[in-house]
Amino acid sequence: MQIFKFGGASVKDADGIKNLAKVLETTGYDNTLVVISAMGKTTNKMEMVIECYFDNKPELPNAIHDVIKYHDDILLDLFETNRHQVFVAVKILFDELNAFFKSNKSPDYNYVYDQIIGYGELISTTIVSHYLNEIGLNNNWIDVREFIKTDNYYRHSNVNWEATQNNISSHLDTSVLNITQGFLGSDANNFTTTLGREGSDYTAAIFAYCLNANNVTIWKDVPGVLNADPRYFENAQLIHQISYREAIELAFYGASVIHPKTLQPLQRKEIPLYVKSFLNAKGAGTCVSKGETLDPEIPCFIVKKNQTLISLSSLDFSYIMEDNISDIFSLLHLYKMKVHVIQNSAISFSVCIENLYDNLEKLLQHLKAKFKVTCHNNVNLYTIRHYNEIVVNELEKDKTVLLKQLAQGTVQIVTK
């Protein structure tokens, strides 16, 4: 069994979908399950739909129309006639979307987010599945929500592995090419849940684990895992081999090529992960597996934009001890802050966070009751694995360094 995952960039238009078919024809698709993300920037467009639903209802029809038109244009490029059954299948999904808005009574943003956002994946896989059938690549479209079961922690749900394993083992026909959605699951009440942004990689790993797959391949618009994001760093280099442990370290610090949760289930069963370019299906790409830490051994750079740095100090110059730190982390947990760096001294404590749930002001008000608080918004967090003094000095040049923390093999730098 092999698991393929195609991201939004690979299916952003009709040519991309045709190329996906060529990749399958080049690599072979026997005993294959294909996980597909929403097309192009559809997830961003769906987030705009959600924002309009909550904050600007008069614009909601226009926001939905933009999503419909984008997919209609792709359909018209792929199929000779708009009487093809795929047009009906896609319309049904958009009708479901509109019906939810009319019937929903819940004010919970996170619940509504998960019920709406996944239509991007449902629509993309419906289109791809119909196109592959049209050109003779017979396949079975499956609803991933019937297989991956989670809790109801909406937007960042946790997998119920026992139920998921049972569903996949009992109900998935592995003798055919299967097409399914990334990113999605469902809770005990069959409400849609999501695994976190970029969770489609994780979906592929879940299926691989449950199916004891031979390998997982993530198809991207880059030749493999690079030592830096080419959008922010010049002369990024391809990494040929990387160990699970090193890849998990990079994912933990925010490397965007591999989702942080993806690697653990693969490591448990030593299932190799390949990252390859959908523009060059025969390229070697990068192999993540048990073995050599890094080939070649070079510094690896990760940058996280739009972070928040909070610096705390005691109001009476007393030590920040275990009880204070416990209170701080309780508040960070309460307000669902993603913590990336912490640093403390006798009377100060700094933390670099990601304000995923827009709770920053509430957190700051709570902290100001007990601490002197300094807050820097829109800072950048740089992490360098396998650093040396030359690359650190080059990175810091022409930047204001707000925090710097060195550990064995890793340096983290927060800049303004």
Side-chain angles (χ1 to χ4, degrees):
M1 194 76 194
Q2 61 180 354
I3 312 296
F4 286 173
K5 180 262 176 173
F6 289 89
S10 66
V11 289
K12 66 181 180 180
D13 53 28
D15 287 341
I17 296 169
K18 292 174 182 177
N19 184 68
L20 181 154
K22 290 178 183 176
V23 170
L24 293 178
E25 290 170 337
T26 300
T27 60
Y29 51 89
D30 291 337
N31 304 315
T32 299
L33 182 141
V34 180
V35 176
I36 301 175
S37 300
M39 293 176 166
K41 300 296 184 182
T42 296
T43 299
N44 294 338
K45 289 178 179 290
M46 295 301 292
E47 287 178 335
M48 288 295 297
V49 168
I50 296 165
E51 293 301 323
C52 288
Y53 173 71
F54 279 101
D55 301 325
N56 191 3
K57 278 194 170 61
E59 279 298 311
L60 180 60
N62 290 333
I64 296 173
H65 177 74
D66 284 347
V67 181
I68 293 173
K69 185 177 185 307
Y70 172 67
H71 290 91
D72 274 349
D73 289 344
I74 293 174
L75 285 168
L76 292 168
D77 284 342
L78 283 175
F79 298 93
E80 292 184 0
T81 172
N82 60 7
R83 292 190 294 274
H84 192 284
Q85 61 183 352
V86 68
F87 287 85
V88 175
V90 171
K91 183 180 183 300
I92 289 172
L93 291 170
F94 279 116
D95 288 345
E96 287 180 11
L97 175 66
N98 281 303
F100 173 83
F101 286 129
K102 292 177 182 177
S103 64
N104 176 61
K105 299 294 189 291
S106 174
D108 182 349
Y109 178 90
N110 298 317
Y111 163 78
V112 172
Y113 182 99
D114 275 11
Q115 306 322 298
I116 295 306
I117 203 74
Y119 278 96
E121 278 73 16
L122 294 168
I123 293 164
S124 69
T125 52
T126 296
I127 294 172
V128 171
S129 176
H130 277 84
Y131 175 73
L132 294 179
N133 280 325
E134 183 77 4
I135 64 170
L137 274 65
N138 296 328
N139 68 89
N140 183 32
W141 183 94
I142 62 172
D143 188 334
V144 72
R145 297 171 297 180
E146 297 176 2
F147 293 88
I148 296 181
K149 304 301 290 187
T150 73
D151 61 14
N152 62 355
Y153 189 176
Y154 296 113
R155 295 181 69 191
H156 290 277
S157 296
N158 301 293
V159 174
N160 180 331
W161 283 95
E162 182 178 356
T164 299
Q165 176 73 75
N166 181 64
N167 290 340
I168 292 174
S169 299
S170 304
H171 304 300
L172 184 68
D173 180 2
T174 59
S175 68
V176 298
L177 171 63
N178 287 290
I179 306 295
T180 197
Q181 308 78 37
F183 182 49
L184 307 179
S186 67
D187 63 17
N189 294 313
N190 293 323
F191 291 120
T192 304
T193 58
T194 61
L195 306 174
R197 283 298 294 267
E198 310 302 330
S200 295
D201 293 358
Y202 188 33
T203 303
I206 293 167
F207 275 101
Y209 180 89
C210 293
L211 292 167
N212 294 312
N214 287 342
N215 56 70
V216 174
T217 302
I218 298 174
W219 296 95
K220 300 185 71 71
D221 56 357
V222 291
V225 176
L226 305 177
N227 75 320
D229 188 329
R231 294 175 298 176
Y232 306 119
F233 297 90
E234 295 180 357
N235 304 316
Q237 298 181 56
L238 177 66
I239 297 171
H240 305 297
Q241 158 70 32
I242 186 170
S243 68
Y244 292 117
R245 182 181 183 87
E246 181 63 24
I248 288 171
E249 290 280 1
L250 291 172
F252 172 78
Y253 288 115
S256 60
V257 173
I258 304 170
H259 189 275
K261 292 181 180 178
T262 299
L263 295 160
Q264 283 91 344
L266 299 180
Q267 184 185 30
R268 284 190 219 120
K269 292 191 175 180
E270 296 187 2
I271 299 170
L273 168 70
Y274 294 94
V275 181
K276 297 186 177 184
S277 171
F278 57 74
L279 302 173
N280 179 19
K282 293 183 178 180
T286 300
C287 178
V288 183
S289 63
K290 185 178 180 180
E292 194 170 350
T293 300
L294 202 65
D295 176 26
E297 292 187 16
I298 51 177
C300 295
F301 301 82
I302 302 153
V303 59
K304 295 185 76 67
K305 302 280 189 177
N306 302 316
Q307 306 297 293
T308 299
L309 178 66
I310 299 174
S311 297
L312 310 174
S313 57
S314 54
L315 295 171
D316 58 1
F317 291 98
S318 59
Y319 292 139
I320 293 185
M321 301 292 284
E322 289 85 351
D323 56 343
N324 303 112
I325 294 173
S326 176
D327 289 342
I328 294 166
F329 272 97
S330 293
L331 291 172
L332 292 170
H333 175 71
L334 175 65
Y335 293 114
K336 297 182 178 180
M337 295 296 174
K338 176 72 172 175
V339 175
H340 295 300
V341 183
I342 59 171
Q343 187 178 85
N344 69 288
S345 66
I347 59 172
S348 68
F349 183 95
S350 295
V351 58
C352 185
I353 59 174
E354 195 164 354
N355 182 25
L356 292 171
Y357 290 87
D358 199 24
N359 286 328
L360 180 60
E361 289 306 316
K362 295 177 184 177
L363 172 65
L364 293 176
Q365 289 302 316
H366 219 136
L367 290 171
K368 286 176 181 176
K370 193 170 183 179
F371 302 98
K372 180 182 177 181
V373 179
T374 302
C375 179
H376 296 276
N377 287 311
N378 299 317
V379 299
N380 299 319
L381 170 62
Y382 294 92
T383 302
I384 312 175
R385 291 278 295 166
H386 313 289
Y387 68 91
N388 56 54
E389 188 174 343
I390 294 173
V391 297
V392 172
N393 290 340
E394 182 65 25
L395 179 66
E396 292 178 345
K397 189 168 60 178
D398 301 325
K399 296 181 178 70
T400 300
V401 176
L402 301 174
L403 180 148
K404 184 175 180 178
Q405 184 158 279
L406 289 85
Q408 185 174 4
T410 304
V411 61
Q412 291 188 281
I413 304 167
V414 178
T415 70
K416 189 69 174 175

